[in-house]
Amino acid sequence: MDYQDDDLSRFEAHGAAPLTAARDEGRVENQGAKIWYATFGAGFPVVLLHGGLGHSGNWGFQVPELVKGGYRVVVIDSRGHGRSTRDGRPYKYELMASDVLAVMDTLQLEKATVVGWSDGACVALILGMNAADRITGVFFFGCNMDPSGTREFEPSPVIDRCFSRHAKDYAELSATPGQFDVFVKAVGLMMKTEPNYSAADLARMRVPVAIVQSEHDEFIKREHANYLSQNVPGSELIILPDVSHFAPLQRPGQFNSALLTFLGNIHS
């Protein structure tokens, strides 16, 4: 796939590639929320967890490639995001991890590999630590596991375009379309105060993990990715050149190649 959208102008205008017709979709009730999911293809399950303020449609460039690779793909809208609802309790990564397990239970998935992007990566790693009997591997892209890992926020046209797309999609998909500002504030509070996992916590990991960092990530420090790879046992560090925090949208071919290689290695 040679598609490129480095400045996210296409993404702002049109979103990611549209998802194909789902094999199955529905909602699962869990801890005060209705969590939307959809599945595509057949084979070993791979769960895709999107980033903060986004939704499952942001994986439009990844789903068909994974299906073509022989995997059953499960996309999940995080609570309060996309088509999923939430109650009044604060956002918590651990709460979102429980939502993923609830979807897996509904789909009768004994095990799955989890691919996380940004906030979704944090959820994925928590699942790898706390539900290792259900998780066969974690592809962890573009996130921190303690507050020291984040960069000072600097606005940019790329970030503005992504935010603009998120606002449009929220208005179209959410059950509370007029509450985008409230939604952003609530998710932002979680991002500012969490996660808070120590090196000792990371050392509990017993499943294969790829720590994936973009060369020009706007939010996560490169040294934090190094730290994670040094403290998650047996993990590999993958650096994606010439892209930023939005690599799955900017140069999906590059991102997909790294992902499929990881999946091939752990499922061979």
Side-chain angles (χ1 to χ4, degrees):
M1 181 185 290
D2 295 328
Y3 181 95
Q4 284 189 211
D5 185 23
D6 289 351
D7 67 359
L8 294 192
S9 57
R10 294 187 194 179
F11 178 67
E12 180 184 25
H14 308 292
L19 294 174
T20 57
R23 176 180 174 182
D24 180 30
E25 69 175 276
R27 288 177 172 82
V28 175
E29 293 195 23
N30 185 60
Q31 298 204 48
K34 293 182 179 179
I35 307 300
W36 180 89
Y37 69 87
T39 74
F40 307 83
F44 191 87
V46 175
V47 178
L48 303 182
L49 303 178
H50 62 78
L53 308 185
H55 64 96
S56 294
N58 298 158
W59 292 112
F61 295 112
Q62 283 68 51
V63 171
E65 295 302 308
L66 290 168
V67 170
K68 191 186 305 181
Y71 298 99
R72 181 183 183 186
V73 183
V74 180
V75 298
I76 299 173
D77 282 353
S78 296
R79 64 172 48 223
H81 296 64
R83 303 161 188 83
S84 293
T85 67
R86 65 180 286 243
D87 60 10
R89 74 188 74 187
Y91 281 100
K92 292 279 187 181
Y93 292 112
E94 293 79 9
L95 188 56
M96 290 194 281
S98 79
D99 295 335
V100 176
L101 292 175
V103 171
M104 289 178 62
D105 289 344
T106 296
L107 293 173
Q108 298 183 321
L109 303 181
E110 182 181 347
K111 294 179 180 291
T113 299
V114 187
V115 179
W117 172 6
S118 196
D119 277 2
C122 180
V123 174
L125 207 62
I126 289 169
L127 287 165
M129 286 188 286
N130 297 338
D133 59 324
R134 307 289 301 276
I135 307 301
T136 60
V138 174
F139 191 86
F140 176 100
F141 171 64
C143 199
N144 59 304
M145 291 303 291
D146 70 65
S148 72
T150 57
R151 294 179 178 275
E152 180 106 14
F153 177 73
E154 295 183 13
S156 75
V158 170
I159 294 173
D160 289 346
R161 291 186 190 107
C162 185
F163 188 81
S164 171
R165 183 74 250 170
H166 288 336
K168 293 174 187 175
D169 290 346
Y170 184 90
E172 179 181 341
L173 298 174
S174 178
T176 56
Q179 296 185 20
F180 184 69
D181 291 344
V182 174
F183 163 67
V184 171
K185 184 177 180 180
V187 174
L189 177 62
M190 176 180 69
M191 293 177 177
K192 290 176 184 176
T193 58
E194 300 180 20
N196 292 285
Y197 285 86
S198 67
D201 294 325
L202 299 173
R204 294 191 285 114
M205 188 71 66
R206 292 295 179 268
V207 303
V209 176
I211 304 297
V212 188
Q213 176 83 356
S214 291
E215 182 181 12
H216 304 299
D217 195 293
E218 296 92 338
F219 302 109
I220 307 300
K221 298 174 182 176
R222 168 67 180 273
E223 54 265 35
H224 188 71
N226 294 339
Y227 159 81
L228 293 177
S229 69
Q230 291 163 5
N231 285 280
V232 175
S235 62
E236 63 173 319
L237 177 63
I238 301 171
I239 304 298
L240 302 179
D242 304 319
V243 286
S244 78
H245 193 74
F246 310 104
L249 301 166
Q250 292 170 318
R251 301 193 185 187
Q254 180 189 134
F255 183 90
N256 295 351
S257 177
L259 173 54
L260 287 166
T261 297
F262 172 75
L263 292 172
N265 288 339
I266 67 173
H267 293 296
S268 59

